[in-house]
Amino acid sequence: MASAPDPSFAGRTYPAGPVHVVSGAKIAEFARATGAASAIHTDPEAAAAAGHRGVVATPTFLVSLAQATEAQYIEDPAAGIDFTRVVHGEESFELARPVVAGDRLVPTLTVERVRSAGGHTMVTTRVDVADEAGDPVAVVRSMLVVRGE
């Protein structure tokens, strides 16, 4: 493995991941774990009364799908990532529409930027989340810090 992330990976897009079926139980579990109190996250009737076809995920719910998708890059031996040296820097979520129970989502990973800073490497990834028809659902950006030697 290389001693630092390979900067030539900037701009690389990996093949789309498998379809991820969003579970109402997982939405409710995540809502409880993060303190999201609205009933639309846990009660299908409340979600329906608010005009949704299933319980609604909080915007940050997609973090687990994004991180699982980023594994394509992190586990790529040619990328030069030593996961024991990775620290999470920041995360952002842009939603085109709410994520609801029953959604069938397809994530695609792009490594947007790889740059050195103060002996460390900063890696920015983007996971584009679409539905099976290809319609955009969300964009999740992450910045990972790979600590230097």
Side-chain angles (χ1 to χ4, degrees):
M1 180 178 295
S3 62
D6 183 342
S8 73
F9 275 66
R12 180 174 294 196
T13 298
Y14 285 80
V19 172
H20 174 82
V21 180
V22 177
S23 155
K26 287 294 181 185
I27 289 174
E29 180 182 286
F30 191 85
R32 283 189 294 276
T34 58
S38 174
I40 67 169
H41 303 303
T42 57
D43 180 357
E45 290 178 10
H52 301 284
R53 59 182 165 72
V55 292
V56 180
T58 63
T60 56
F61 174 80
L62 292 173
V63 69
S64 61
L65 176 58
Q67 288 181 349
T69 304
E70 290 166 350
Q72 295 173 92
Y73 168 61
I74 291 168
E75 296 172 359
D76 185 337
I81 305 287
D82 177 354
F83 192 68
T84 66
R85 304 191 71 76
V86 172
V87 179
H88 194 279
E90 59 186 58
E91 195 100 26
S92 68
F93 302 85
E94 299 169 31
L95 296 177
R97 66 161 178 82
V99 172
V100 298
D103 274 346
R104 298 176 58 84
L105 304 178
V106 180
T108 303
L109 171 68
T110 299
V111 178
E112 287 194 317
R113 187 174 183 197
V114 180
R115 68 178 178 88
S116 294
H120 307 296
T121 304
M122 316 299 265
V123 178
T124 304
T125 63
R126 183 184 79 235
V127 176
D128 295 299
V129 181
D131 63 21
E132 283 185 301
D135 294 327
V137 175
V139 175
V140 181
R141 280 193 174 79
S142 300
M143 195 267 289
L144 306 173
V145 179
V146 184
R147 294 178 293 117
E149 299 292 325

